[in-house]
Amino acid sequence: MNPVWFTFLNGSDIDQLELTDGEILDAVEEGLRAQGQGETVIEPRVHLVPDPAFDGHFNVLRGYVAPLALAGVKIVGDYVGNYKAGLPSEMALLNLFDPRTGMPVAVVDATALTEMRTGALTALGARHLARPDSRVLGHIGARATSYWNVRLLDRIFDLTEIRVHSRRPESREAFAERLERDLGKPVVVTEDWQSCVEGADIVVEASRLERPEPLLKTEWIAPGALVVPYGTNSAVELSLTDIMDKIVVDDWGQAHAGPFGALRTHVDSGRLNKDNLHGELGEIVAGHKPGRESPEETNLFWHRGLSLSDIALGAAMLKKAEERGLGQKLRFS
C-alpha cells in the first residue's frame, strides 16, 4: 500500500502565513460562489453538549467544495467562561480530506481561521447588502470573531465612526484599544446597546448571551441600514424581521436546524420562512439573485457559519503554507 501523508498546520504556522485582508476575503468569497453555483454539499451543523455544568458545547460543521476538491469537518469548542482560566472561548480544528478517496489531506488549527472567516462572511454580506456609502458601524460583542468583523468591514467601507459595546467593561475597552492600534482610527466605547447601534449604517450583533433576550430593539434601526445578527442566543426582538426589505442567510438548510441562532425563534414561529427569505448570500455572490437595489432598503444578513468558508480558507492557508515551507508532513499510513 502506498504511504499516505497529511499536512499539519499549528497556530504558529498560521501566524507566519501573514494572510492579508484581501486573501481572506477572496478565499471566503470563492467558497460562497461555489455554493451559489451548486458546486458544494453542506450539512447543517450539529452540537455536542458534554455536560450542562461545563457552560459550553461543541459545534461540528461538515461540507464539500467541488472546485477545491476538498471535503472538510471542523470541530469548534465554544466555552463562554474560558476567559476566567486565561483560555480563548473558542478553539477549533479543521480536518480536510480528499473526497475521492477519503484520505486525510490536512489538520489545521482553525481557531484563527474561524475568527477570520466569520469576519469575512460579515464583511462580504455587507458588501452586497449595505449601502456603499455606509460609514458608521455599531458593533455589539467583543468575542474573538468581532475583531475580524470590524477590521474587514473597515477594509471595505473605510468607516468614519466605529462604536463598540460588550457585557464586560474590561473586554470592550481592550477590544477598542486593539482596534484603534491596528486600524489607526478612533473607536467609541459605549455603555449600553442603544447608544452603540442607534442610527448606525451597519449594525453587527455578536453577543454572548446565556439565554435569548431581546436587548436589540427594532426601533433603534435606521431606515436603509444593514443588520447582521449572529449571536449564539437571540438578542433581537421578533419585530426586527418585519421592517426588513431583504432577509439573507448563509445557508437556509442550517438556518432552521439546531437549538441556537439569532433568528431561531423567528424560524420556529414561521415568521421567517422560505417564502419571505430573499435568498442565500452565495446566490447573490454568484449573480443569481440581486443584493441591495436601492439606498432605501433596510436589510438583514443572518449567518451561522459555513463549513464551506472553513474549507475555502483552509485551502488558501495550505497553498500559502506550501509556498512558504510551513507546516509538518505527518504520515497517516
Side-chain angles (χ1 to χ4, degrees):
M1 186 176 71
N2 294 328
V4 176
W5 297 79
F6 67 93
T7 301
F8 174 58
L9 296 180
N10 63 29
S12 176
D13 296 325
I14 303 300
D15 290 341
Q16 292 178 73
L17 292 178
E18 299 175 308
L19 287 173
T20 66
D21 294 349
E23 287 172 331
I24 296 166
L25 289 167
D26 288 348
V28 174
E29 191 168 43
E30 183 178 3
L32 287 168
R33 186 173 294 107
Q35 181 191 16
Q37 298 285 26
E39 299 174 319
T40 62
V41 175
I42 180 170
E43 296 184 353
R45 67 171 61 199
V46 293
H47 308 277
L48 170 66
V49 181
D51 188 321
F54 296 160
D55 192 25
H57 65 276
F58 294 97
N59 302 308
V60 183
L61 296 82
R62 304 153 293 165
Y64 163 61
V65 183
L68 297 174
L70 287 171
V73 178
K74 188 180 77 170
I75 301 173
V76 185
D78 190 353
Y79 283 72
V80 178
N82 270 6
Y83 70 91
K84 299 171 187 175
L87 295 171
S89 60
E90 293 173 299
M91 174 287 306
L93 279 176
L94 171 65
N95 302 278
L96 295 174
F97 302 91
D98 183 334
R100 293 157 297 203
T101 64
M103 291 297 101
V105 172
V107 175
V108 180
D109 177 341
T111 305
L113 182 154
T114 301
E115 297 165 8
M116 294 171 183
R117 71 87 155 121
T118 303
L121 210 58
T122 297
L124 291 167
R127 175 185 283 171
H128 291 279
L129 294 165
R131 295 194 322 273
D133 63 349
S134 295
R135 294 294 180 268
V136 180
L137 169 67
H139 193 290
I140 299 291
R143 62 202 291 186
T145 57
S146 297
Y147 171 81
W148 288 97
N149 286 335
V150 180
R151 174 169 165 168
L152 295 178
L153 282 167
D154 186 59
R155 163 83 178 199
I156 292 173
F157 293 95
D158 191 17
L159 302 165
T160 59
E161 184 176 346
I162 300 171
R163 311 173 195 158
V164 299
H165 177 75
S166 69
R167 180 173 56 86
R168 294 185 295 117
E170 63 271 25
S171 72
R172 58 184 183 250
E173 293 289 347
F175 182 40
E177 288 175 8
R178 182 184 180 192
L179 290 171
E180 288 186 337
R181 181 179 65 249
D182 291 359
L183 302 182
K185 56 181 64 178
V187 175
V188 178
V189 179
T190 71
E191 299 299 317
D192 56 70
W193 286 57
Q194 182 174 358
S195 56
C196 182
V197 307
E198 192 168 34
D201 301 318
I202 301 173
V203 174
V204 179
E205 180 277 305
S207 61
R208 306 278 283 169
L209 301 183
E210 294 180 2
R211 62 190 62 84
E213 185 178 359
L215 296 174
L216 195 157
K217 306 299 182 183
T218 304
E219 65 187 41
W220 299 340
I221 304 303
L226 169 68
V227 181
V228 186
Y230 74 88
T232 304
N233 286 303
S234 178
V236 303
E237 293 185 305
L238 272 175
S239 58
L240 181 66
T241 53
D242 297 345
I243 69 168
M244 297 299 164
D245 294 291
K246 287 188 174 80
I247 300 176
V248 175
V249 298
D250 54 358
D251 178 72
W252 179 242
Q254 75 176 5
H256 53 82
F260 301 111
L263 300 187
R264 171 82 282 123
T265 306
H266 298 74
V267 173
D268 291 344
S269 65
R271 210 174 188 110
L272 173 59
N273 55 67
K274 197 145 193 180
D275 292 331
N276 61 18
L277 178 75
H278 176 66
E280 296 175 343
L281 182 58
E283 295 177 293
I284 297 174
V285 170
H288 298 310
K289 289 192 175 179
R292 174 176 285 268
E293 296 175 274
S294 77
E296 291 76 29
E297 282 184 8
T298 305
N299 294 330
L300 184 147
F301 174 47
W302 175 32
H303 63 83
R304 298 200 61 207
L306 285 173
S307 60
L308 312 178
S309 301
D310 297 315
I311 295 166
L313 187 51
M317 288 179 169
L318 275 180
K319 181 180 178 182
K320 195 166 186 179
E322 186 173 352
E323 293 169 354
R324 294 198 168 192
L326 294 169
Q328 302 172 57
K329 293 290 185 183
L330 302 178
R331 184 162 179 168
F332 175 71
S333 65

